[in-house]
């Protein structure tokens, strides 16, 4: 059984660490503004296997998702896609006009499947290349 729900930020740290930055200290995956985010987890048979954090910027009516990670043995099975679709829907429900992320260059094709498009903004952090990708929502 699959369940997606909001979770305390502390539950995201282990998966973030294991998947994204296993060679860094655990504190590396803790964000200074984690307390301001909405943290989502995808559970398979009660096991937390994927996480994603959403940070809403109310005055801009935009949201950034960060620290999107799925345990390695569950990758490629559609769980991350389900979680991202869910969070995109949640952002729309919050009347957000645009959702965006800092995407690792090798993940561009994955994010394009969800309607995110590359911007001209790129950067390098810890020897990893990133591009900002975004998806505007039609407002009514």
């Amino acid at each position: 059984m699959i369940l997606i729900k909001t979770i305390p930020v502390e539950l995201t740290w282990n998966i973030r660490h294991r998947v994204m930055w296993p060679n860094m200290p655990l504190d590396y995956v803790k964000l200074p503004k984690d307390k301001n985010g909405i943290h989502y987890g995808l559970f398979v048979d009660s096991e937390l296997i994927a996480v994603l954090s959403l940070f809403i910027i109310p005055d801009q009516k935009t949201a950034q998702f960060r620290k999107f990670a799925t345990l390695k043995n569950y990758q490629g099975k559609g769980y991350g896609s389900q979680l991202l679709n869910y969070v995109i829907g949640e952002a729309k429900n919050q009347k957000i006009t645009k959702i965006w992320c800092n995407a690792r260059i090798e993940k561009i094709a994955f994010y394009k499947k969800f309607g995110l498009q590359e911007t001209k903004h790129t950067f390098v952090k810890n020897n990893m290349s990133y591009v900002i990708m975004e998806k505007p929502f039609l407002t009514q």
Side-chain angles (χ1 to χ4, degrees), residues 79-95:
Y79 296 118
S81 294
Q82 288 181 57
L83 180 56
L84 184 54
N85 275 323
Y86 182 89
V87 171
I88 289 171
E90 289 292 296
K92 284 182 183 178
N93 290 341
Q94 295 281 336
K95 307 296 185 217

Side-chain angles (χ1 to χ4, degrees), residues 44-139:
V44 173
D45 297 328
S46 302
E47 179 186 0
L48 179 61
I49 61 110
V51 296
L52 186 152
S53 298
L54 185 68
F55 297 87
I56 296 173
I57 306 155
D59 58 325
Q60 296 177 16
K61 294 188 179 179
T62 64
Q64 179 187 18
F65 66 90
R66 300 187 67 186
K67 304 298 183 193
F68 178 27
T70 302
L71 291 175
K72 296 247 186 255
N73 53 333
Y74 290 95
Q75 290 179 8
K77 298 179 180 180
Y79 296 118
S81 294
Q82 288 181 57
L83 180 56
L84 184 54
N85 275 323
Y86 182 89
V87 171
I88 289 171
E90 289 292 296
K92 284 182 183 178
N93 290 341
Q94 295 281 336
K95 307 296 185 217
I96 297 302
T97 60
K98 177 175 67 176
I99 192 166
W100 62 281
C101 71
N102 297 328
R104 292 182 182 188
I105 296 296
E106 67 270 13
K107 298 295 183 184
I108 290 172
F110 174 79
Y111 290 120
K112 282 186 173 183
K113 292 189 282 185
F114 299 90
L116 280 93
Q117 294 299 315
E118 298 169 70
T119 68
K120 62 182 178 181
H121 305 288
T122 62
F123 62 96
V124 175
K125 179 180 174 187
N126 290 333
N127 297 318
M128 300 285 285
S129 296
Y130 294 85
V131 62
I132 295 176
M133 296 187 73
E134 60 185 27
K135 177 179 179 150
F137 299 128
L138 296 176
T139 56

Side-chain angles (χ1 to χ4, degrees), residues 3-82:
L3 174 67
I4 298 173
K5 65 179 183 177
T6 58
I7 58 174
V9 66
E10 295 82 7
L11 292 181
T12 69
W13 294 335
N14 181 41
I15 292 178
R16 286 178 182 179
H17 185 245
R18 289 170 58 190
V19 174
M20 302 178 84
W21 298 103
N23 298 324
M24 300 297 282
L26 179 64
D27 282 346
Y28 187 78
V29 300
K30 298 177 182 179
L31 300 173
K33 295 188 177 184
D34 261 342
K35 66 182 182 315
N36 300 330
I38 306 167
H39 309 282
Y40 296 89
L42 184 141
F43 295 79
V44 173
D45 297 328
S46 302
E47 179 186 0
L48 179 61
I49 61 110
V51 296
L52 186 152
S53 298
L54 185 68
F55 297 87
I56 296 173
I57 306 155
D59 58 325
Q60 296 177 16
K61 294 188 179 179
T62 64
Q64 179 187 18
F65 66 90
R66 300 187 67 186
K67 304 298 183 193
F68 178 27
T70 302
L71 291 175
K72 296 247 186 255
N73 53 333
Y74 290 95
Q75 290 179 8
K77 298 179 180 180
Y79 296 118
S81 294
Q82 288 181 57

